[in-house]
Amino acid sequence: MSPPQQPSSTNPNSLKIRLTHRFLHNLNNLNKKRSNLDNTQIHRRSHRVKLAAYASMARVVGSRRAWSRAILWKIRNRKVFTRNKRVDHKTTHHHHLARSIKRRTTNHSNHKREYVDPNGNSGQEVKLRKLVPGVETMDACGLLDETADYIKCLATQVEVMRNLVDLYSTI
Amino acid sequence: MSSRRTRTTRTREHDIDDLVSKLQALLPSSSSSCKRTTVPSSKILEETCNYIKSLRRKGDNLGERLSQLLDSMENNGVDVSIIKDLLQP
């Protein structure tokens, strides 16, 4: 499976390089802490590697993006963050994506009705809001913009990790 | 044409169309097929959701492999910080 073409808007080489350095830095810190753990903590370590990956993604992007801010906030409040946090879908300035979707699909027959929640969001949009951190109360334009940036960074992070795995496995 | 549609609404829908096509360009399936036809945005959103999920899965798998590799490297006495120095320009 070949990785997607890197768009030229953000300099992809510098993003990859910055991600690599930051991820290695986080891994290093991980290893220093880990010297007290024994081998039964394998699960915790792989969980920490995942956290390090997300943390390095968010740290490199900084507070420029809603998703990175959300991740950084979650990491800082990891102990306090409860699962009971309810998300209110505010309808103040939502230009509902569902309307544009219906406009674009008028020529195609939908055999099953698209799920639309009480706020007018389609099922896909709701799923997307759950997948991308920090976009629960964003309008449709912002949501799409954040999703594009999130995908770019995720893909680059995966590439960095793949390169590291290849590198480490040859040593 | 609904007369209630103001110019603002129309420009915003054009903006959304632009954003959706940019999103489509990021998805892996778009680079393989050279179709210029309009794909319904619900399909694009669905593919985006699936792509994000698959990227996360790949990241998690790579993270597990990485942690196993680090573990075996530590046991063999290799210091990870050496690698970092090697990668520095």
Side-chain angles (χ1 to χ4, degrees):
Chain A
M1 202 176 296
S2 60
Q5 290 293 324
Q6 296 282 359
S8 51
S9 48
T10 57
N11 189 350
N13 289 327
S14 102
L15 177 65
K16 199 156 73 157
I17 289 173
R18 278 184 288 150
L19 266 179
T20 313
H21 282 299
R22 171 55 66 173
F23 187 48
L24 282 173
H25 176 79
N26 285 350
L27 281 185
N28 234 0
N29 292 344
L30 246 183
N31 273 339
K32 282 179 192 156
K33 279 187 212 164
R34 152 185 192 278
S35 55
N36 299 329
L37 301 173
D38 55 15
N39 287 339
T40 58
Q41 308 264 10
I42 291 180
H43 260 304
R44 282 191 72 187
R45 191 180 33 246
S46 76
H47 179 67
R48 283 195 184 160
V49 170
K50 282 180 221 170
L51 270 182
Y54 280 108
S56 55
M57 259 173 69
R59 194 68 63 87
V60 165
V61 171
S63 36
R64 287 197 301 254
R65 285 283 172 180
W67 65 264
S68 62
R69 288 195 292 268
I71 292 181
L72 289 172
W73 186 84
K74 272 186 212 171
I75 289 175
R76 284 192 191 125
N77 297 335
R78 212 176 352 169
K79 291 165 190 165
V80 188
F81 188 69
T82 62
R83 287 192 178 272
N84 294 334
K85 177 186 172 197
R86 304 196 75 216
V87 177
D88 292 333
H89 285 277
K90 296 213 166 81
T91 56
T92 41
H93 291 294
H94 278 200
H95 180 86
H96 297 303
L97 202 54
R99 261 183 252 145
S100 343
I101 287 174
K102 285 192 188 122
R103 188 170 58 84
R104 281 177 79 138
T105 57
T106 39
N107 296 332
H108 303 262
S109 57
N110 287 339
H111 292 290
K112 58 174 180 176
R113 299 196 80 190
E114 269 182 32
Y115 167 73
V116 178
D117 80 357
N119 293 332
N121 300 325
S122 70
Q124 290 302 329
E125 192 179 331
V126 168
K127 279 189 214 168
L128 201 52
R129 284 177 194 276
K130 286 184 189 158
L131 282 174
V132 182
V135 295
E136 287 100 350
T137 51
M138 256 190 174
D139 65 333
C141 283
L143 170 67
L144 292 174
D145 196 30
E146 290 286 320
T147 310
D149 194 72
Y150 186 58
I151 286 182
K152 248 186 283 178
C153 285
L154 259 186
T156 316
Q157 176 69 34
V158 164
E159 202 182 326
V160 164
M161 285 170 82
R162 193 177 289 136
N163 291 341
L164 279 176
V165 164
D166 288 343
L167 180 67
Y168 287 170
S169 56
T170 58
I171 286 178
Chain B
M1 292 289 171
S2 162
S3 57
R4 278 192 291 173
R5 275 201 195 160
T6 61
R7 215 181 316 152
T8 345
T9 318
R10 229 174 282 134
T11 25
R12 286 207 70 154
E13 285 182 348
H14 283 310
D15 288 343
I16 286 189
D17 283 346
D18 285 339
L19 287 172
V20 169
S21 9
K22 277 189 200 158
L23 203 53
Q24 189 185 9
L26 286 173
L27 296 175
S29 58
S30 73
S31 54
S32 51
S33 65
C34 302
K35 274 198 295 189
R36 295 271 175 250
T37 57
T38 310
V39 182
S41 37
S42 58
K43 267 292 170 186
I44 294 180
L45 285 190
E46 195 183 326
E47 281 191 38
T48 311
C49 291
N50 294 338
Y51 187 46
I52 291 181
K53 284 184 205 164
S54 83
L55 277 179
R56 280 198 179 173
R57 240 183 296 132
K58 279 188 213 168
D60 289 347
N61 291 341
L62 285 172
E64 284 195 32
R65 278 181 67 188
L66 203 52
S67 69
Q68 287 169 3
L69 280 172
L70 285 175
D71 189 32
S72 67
M73 276 172 55
E74 284 287 322
N75 290 341
N76 293 339
V78 181
D79 198 3
V80 176
S81 56
I82 293 178
I83 313 298
K84 187 179 172 198
D85 293 333
L86 279 177
L87 283 172
Q88 294 267 348

